[in-house]
């Protein structure tokens, strides 16, 4: 991936920067610093450390959305947090995908499917737009 990034032009690189920044702003709006990129099993539990796999899946997933879609997710932040906690508490395969063997293909696929499902539910979509 780094080799490919070194080949892209300045306009493409700027788009990646803007998309990443928009994803970080959206993550802050949705999760507030307390929950962003952390395992959240219950709102009352002690704050967990940052999780690299969650950073990856949320930042990529949020960066692929439009500004309007990210705004809708910010409005649906309680639903997203509830769905995310439900996935952590009720889907051991998802929980494993962000905990152990995070680089394994099946774990990457599982966490992206789960998070994209949460996003789709919050947006009321059958599919997530990509641009």
């Amino acid at each position: 991936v780094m080799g490919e990034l070194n080949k892209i032009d300045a306009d493409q690189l700027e788009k990646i920067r803007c998309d990443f920044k928009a994803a970080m702003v959206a993550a802050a709006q949705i999760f507030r610093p307390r929950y962003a990129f952390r395992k959240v099993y219950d709102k009352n539990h002690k704050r967990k450390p940052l999780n690299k796999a969650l950073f990856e899946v949320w930042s990529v997933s949020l960066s692929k959305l439009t500004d309007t879609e990210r705004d809708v997710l910010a409005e649906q932040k309680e639903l997203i947090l509830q769905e995310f906690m439900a996935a952590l508490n009720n889907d051991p395969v998802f929980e494993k995908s962000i905990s152990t063997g995070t680089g394994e293909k099946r774990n990457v696929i599982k966490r992206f499917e789960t998070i994209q499902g949460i996003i789709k539910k919050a947006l009321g979509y059958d599919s997530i737009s990509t641009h």
Side-chain angles (χ1 to χ4, degrees):
V1 172
M2 291 306 294
E4 293 300 315
L5 284 175
N6 287 330
K7 295 177 188 176
I8 64 174
D9 64 36
D11 289 340
Q12 290 173 307
L13 189 57
E14 183 59 25
K15 180 174 181 346
I16 291 169
R17 277 190 198 110
C18 289
D19 289 344
F20 178 76
K21 184 176 179 181
M24 295 301 100
V25 169
Q29 291 172 334
I30 295 165
F31 296 106
R32 300 166 298 283
R34 178 164 179 76
Y35 303 122
F37 315 121
R38 300 172 194 277
K39 295 179 187 178
V40 183
Y41 297 94
D42 181 306
K43 284 184 177 182
N44 298 320
H45 277 141
K46 182 180 174 190
R47 192 164 93 160
K48 303 284 187 193
L50 293 172
N51 180 285
K52 291 178 192 178
L54 287 174
F55 176 80
E56 170 200 40
V57 69
W58 280 113
S59 61
V60 170
S61 297
L62 292 171
S63 73
K64 291 184 177 186
L65 301 173
T66 66
D67 290 338
T68 301
E69 290 167 328
R70 285 187 286 265
D71 289 344
V72 171
L73 293 183
E75 293 170 10
Q76 295 290 329
K77 62 186 171 191
E78 288 303 317
L79 172 66
I80 291 170
L81 188 57
Q82 289 172 5
E83 292 294 319
F84 178 57
M85 288 187 299
L88 280 169
N89 288 309
N90 302 319
D91 185 347
V93 178
F94 171 67
E95 206 280 334
K96 181 183 181 290
S97 79
I98 62 169
S99 301
T100 60
T102 57
E104 293 176 20
K105 184 177 180 177
R106 71 177 180 270
N107 289 335
V108 173
I109 291 168
K110 175 61 177 175
R111 70 176 164 262
F112 272 89
E113 287 174 348
T114 300
I115 296 305
Q116 288 175 357
I118 292 168
I119 290 171
K120 286 190 279 189
K121 184 172 185 174
L123 293 173
Y125 286 178
D126 290 331
S127 63
I128 294 179
S129 67
T130 56
H131 48 22

